Amino acid sequence: MADDLNDDRLYRVVRNDEEQYSIWAADREPPAGWHTEGTEGTRQECLDRIDTVWTDMRPASLRRRMEQAGA
């Protein structure tokens, strides 16, 4: 794996159906069950984007169950 300081590869932010985020090399197809989110850039730019949008680490299915239980 490339050193973070010298990593000049392009990455994409990917998201799964549970609304969990990760980064993936832009020159590769996302793994099964993951879809591109739309952000592409350096590793740090992608991680910064994830920090902004992924504010609740719970999987979407768990959030829905908890909301239903509280209703």
Side-chain angles (χ1 to χ4, degrees):
M1 179 174 233
D3 177 319
D4 289 346
L5 297 174
N6 299 316
D7 188 355
D8 59 355
R9 293 178 291 178
L10 196 58
Y11 290 89
R12 289 187 182 133
V13 174
V14 294
R15 185 178 79 177
N16 66 19
D17 293 337
E18 288 288 341
E19 297 177 2
Q20 297 167 311
Y21 290 81
S22 188
I23 63 171
W24 198 251
D27 62 348
R28 299 179 63 201
E29 288 296 315
W34 293 80
H35 313 281
T36 57
E37 173 265 359
T39 302
E40 192 170 287
T42 66
R43 180 179 188 278
Q44 191 58 54
E45 289 169 335
C46 290
L47 291 173
D48 290 345
R49 171 67 177 157
I50 291 171
D51 281 343
T52 300
V53 297
W54 196 12
T55 58
D56 189 337
M57 303 302 261
R58 297 174 299 167
S61 59
L62 175 60
R63 292 193 314 265
R64 286 191 293 273
R65 282 194 306 268
M66 291 178 78
E67 288 171 4
Q68 290 171 349

